[in-house]
Amino acid sequence: MASERFDLVVIGAGPAGYVGAIRAAQLGMKVACVEREPALGGVCLRVGCIPTKALLESSERFAEASHDLAGHGVKVGGVTLDLEAMMARKDGIVTNLTRGIDFLFQKWKIKRYLGDGRLGGEGLVQVSGDPVVELAADKVLIATGSSSATIKGVEPDGDRVITSTEALALAEVPGRLLVIGAGVIGLELGSVWARLGSEVTVVEYLDRILPGVDGQVAKLAKRLFGRQGLKFRLGARVRSARAQGAQGVVEIDGAEPLVADRVLVAVGRRPNTDGLGLESVGIDVDSRGFIPVDERFATRAPGVFAVGDVIGGPMLAHAASHEAVACVERLATGWGHVNREATPWVVYTDPELAFVGRTEEQLVSAGVPYRSGTFFFKGNGRAVTLGRSDGIVKVLAHADTDRLLGVHILGPRAGDLISEAVAAMELGASSEDLARFCHPYPSLSEALMEAALAVDGHPIHA
Ligand code: NAD
């Protein structure tokens, strides 16, 4: 017998689940949210995006104070690292933000259940515990997210062979850190520890870093990261990684084993569907373990919807939130959609890398006629004064219509700059529109304008 009835029961309180719950409550639904962790916010807030950004910021300050300030005429002596304080700052930020969601849940009268949520047949969600609590749900939103994936032969032990969760909380700086995977997590966390003094080697199966990023931009990024001390072993397939005493040993095809103090496994993420009771409502996962949904985010089970990492797609926090909002708005109003073409990506390295839309390689393989304009930050006055003039902006536009097809930025604050391109693409702008917007001087955003001008062959400062 269900203890209570809700219009919507959300399973999972990450950026998909908690945002969906809040939006549904705003739209007048009676909402419950089931989450197994005491802190709300999911991987992103607890052990993902937010703590990573906190450590990226702190490690960047440390690196800057150690060797970049002299050029500004600022002399700093005896810079030392207090890793414990750095970690405490990160933990404080996480606590602060996760408590903020508690506050928002109270504000919107979302009933919170602590435990593992599972589907218990049509219209029923069970929350683990003694006794099990049963909730009657008119609609269910699955937002259970993802976990670190691993590869055959690689078994993280949480100590020498670790995932991103442990890499965010190491008690000392590893002398040598080996990262498996030159994707987003590998490069962000590799950057943190390299700045704090680790000798970092990134082993990547492909012959390039950052699959999915425009090739020209990724190539330049690799050069810049290399200058910061990151070493790369590209085209190297890892066969095994294991702890051996106080070290990690990694075997790669056709080469001597590599030894490091810690080995970080960053080879992607897999959807969390274990124990969800999907079979009770007839949902089968696809070949990669994701829950199939249609454009309304509806699963094949009536009244059961799914959003975020558990359905695949970009596996980005903001994409997950966007999907959740679109899903519940559609439930309440009949309208709501997500434009994947205008979903930005950001990699928070130094410099940052951000893009929206398609890469040059994708346009070539799809046979889309395009024109390209590039502009280097060294021609941007603001970037030069910041001492951050490495990087490039690349604008891709349709050769016939001039409609923007992709914008790629490697440079200072790229993650903020990309929003202008997102807005332009959402509104169907052309590269000429972007070039004609009046940009403040001196600002980093002028680099975007210049790259747009370059599409037509006439940038001013290049
Ligand atoms: P990823 O898919 O970005 O990168 C994994 C890398 O590992 C790939 O380059 C792949 O070729 C490589 N790889 C796979 N098997 C290998 C092997 N046997 N040997 C060597 N290399 C191998 O995955 P990730 O970096 O773990 O990130 C996971 C997800 O989390 C991604 O979807 C990412 O978008 C998301 N994320 C996003 C952000 C952000 O937006 N800033 C930050 C962190 C994570």
Side-chain angles (χ1 to χ4, degrees):
M1 202 21 207
S3 64
E4 208 170 340
R5 163 165 289 283
F6 294 92
D7 296 324
L8 178 71
V9 174
V10 182
I11 306 179
Y18 88 75
V19 170
I22 291 172
R23 187 66 191 121
Q26 288 173 341
L27 290 163
M29 296 185 210
K30 183 179 174 194
V31 183
C33 183
V34 187
E35 166 61 55
R36 65 160 68 110
E37 295 289 336
L40 300 173
V43 166
C44 172
L45 266 84
R46 291 183 302 104
V47 286
C49 322
I50 293 298
T52 307
K53 262 82 265 178
L55 290 184
L56 279 160
E57 191 63 33
S58 297
S59 61
E60 204 170 315
R61 302 282 174 99
F62 176 71
E64 191 172 34
S66 301
H67 42 71
D68 290 343
L69 289 178
H72 288 267
V74 180
K75 285 194 175 172
V76 186
V79 176
T80 54
L81 175 66
D82 183 347
L83 187 58
E84 210 178 316
M86 197 179 275
M87 291 293 172
R89 174 183 181 272
K90 172 210 68 173
D91 293 340
I93 290 167
V94 169
T95 304
N96 183 12
L97 292 177
T98 54
R99 285 202 185 136
I101 304 173
D102 281 317
F103 162 79
L104 292 171
F105 269 27
Q106 280 161 27
K107 175 176 169 181
W108 290 104
K109 300 192 173 33
I110 295 161
K111 187 142 181 198
R112 203 247 147 116
Y113 288 88
L114 180 64
D116 288 5
R118 73 186 303 280
L119 297 160
E122 198 175 330
L124 212 57
V125 173
Q126 298 167 337
V127 186
S128 64
D130 191 14
V132 168
V133 176
E134 292 210 322
L135 310 175
D138 187 33
K139 302 277 188 298
V140 177
L141 181 61
I142 301 172
T144 46
S146 63
S147 308
S148 295
T150 188
I151 42 182
K152 209 167 149 250
V154 175
E155 288 300 326
D157 68 345
D159 180 27
R160 295 297 140 186
V161 182
I162 59 179
T163 67
S164 54
T165 303
E166 295 83 34
L168 286 165
L170 294 178
E172 87 277 352
V173 179
R176 278 176 301 172
L177 173 68
L178 198 139
V179 179
I180 306 177
V184 186
I185 294 182
L187 291 177
E188 289 187 357
L189 288 174
S191 298
V192 165
W193 292 107
R195 287 174 199 160
L196 298 180
S198 291
E199 192 185 296
V200 177
T201 304
V202 185
V203 181
E204 165 60 48
Y205 173 64
L206 301 173
D207 60 359
R208 54 162 294 168
I209 68 168
L210 293 169
V213 168
D214 184 272
Q216 181 187 10
V217 176
K219 205 165 157 187
L220 177 58
K222 177 174 170 275
R223 215 165 67 222
L224 298 178
F225 302 154
R227 250 175 28 204
Q228 293 164 20
L230 289 188
K231 294 194 177 63
F232 292 97
R233 298 271 301 246
L234 301 185
R237 192 168 71 88
V238 169
R239 279 193 310 159
S240 76
R242 61 178 192 282
Q244 198 173 74
Q247 293 187 307
V249 179
V250 175
E251 287 184 321
I252 53 179
D253 277 345
E256 288 293 298
L258 303 170
V259 179
D261 300 288
R262 309 265 179 184
V263 176
L264 167 62
V265 184
V267 294
R269 297 185 62 82
R270 60 177 177 78
N272 292 332
T273 54
D274 288 350
L276 254 183
L278 296 178
E279 64 292 344
S280 74
V281 289
I283 298 175
D284 293 318
V285 296
D286 69 15
S287 59
R288 296 190 307 149
F290 295 110
I291 297 178
V293 292
D294 65 14
E295 76 290 349
R296 297 170 302 139
F297 303 99
T299 68
R300 56 175 292 190
V304 180
F305 298 77
V307 289
D309 285 8
V310 79
I311 64 166
M315 289 187 125
L316 300 168
H318 50 276
S321 301
H322 234 65
E323 289 167 9
V325 168
C327 176
V328 299
E329 285 190 349
R330 194 149 174 165
L331 286 177
T333 68
W335 301 99
H337 87 290
V338 167
N339 179 4
R340 285 242 195 272
E341 285 286 313
T343 300
W345 288 72
V346 185
V347 189
Y348 290 89
T349 42
D350 179 19
E352 291 178 1
L353 196 162
F355 69 94
V356 58
R358 285 188 266 171
T359 65
E360 191 159 357
E361 292 78 13
Q362 286 169 337
L363 295 177
V364 169
S365 76
V368 179
Y370 66 93
R371 292 192 302 161
S372 164
T374 55
F375 184 79
F376 288 88
F377 276 97
K378 65 176 185 285
N380 175 271
R382 178 79 171 131
V384 175
T385 59
L386 289 171
R388 297 289 172 106
S389 54
D390 285 329
I392 189 176
V393 181
K394 177 170 177 177
V395 173
L396 299 165
H398 197 283
D400 303 329
T401 64
D402 195 35
R403 192 180 176 123
L404 287 171
L405 299 173
V407 176
H408 305 262
I409 308 175
L410 173 70
R413 298 286 167 197
D416 296 309
L417 293 176
I418 198 68
S419 291
E420 179 184 349
V422 173
M425 285 184 65
E426 273 286 9
L427 299 174
S430 62
S431 83
E432 185 184 347
D433 291 328
L434 199 53
R436 288 190 184 278
F437 295 162
C438 184
H439 288 74
Y441 171 85
S443 73
L444 296 170
S445 66
E446 287 172 291
L448 205 56
M449 174 181 76
E450 294 274 12
L453 283 166
V455 172
D456 214 26
H458 56 91
I460 302 291
H461 293 91

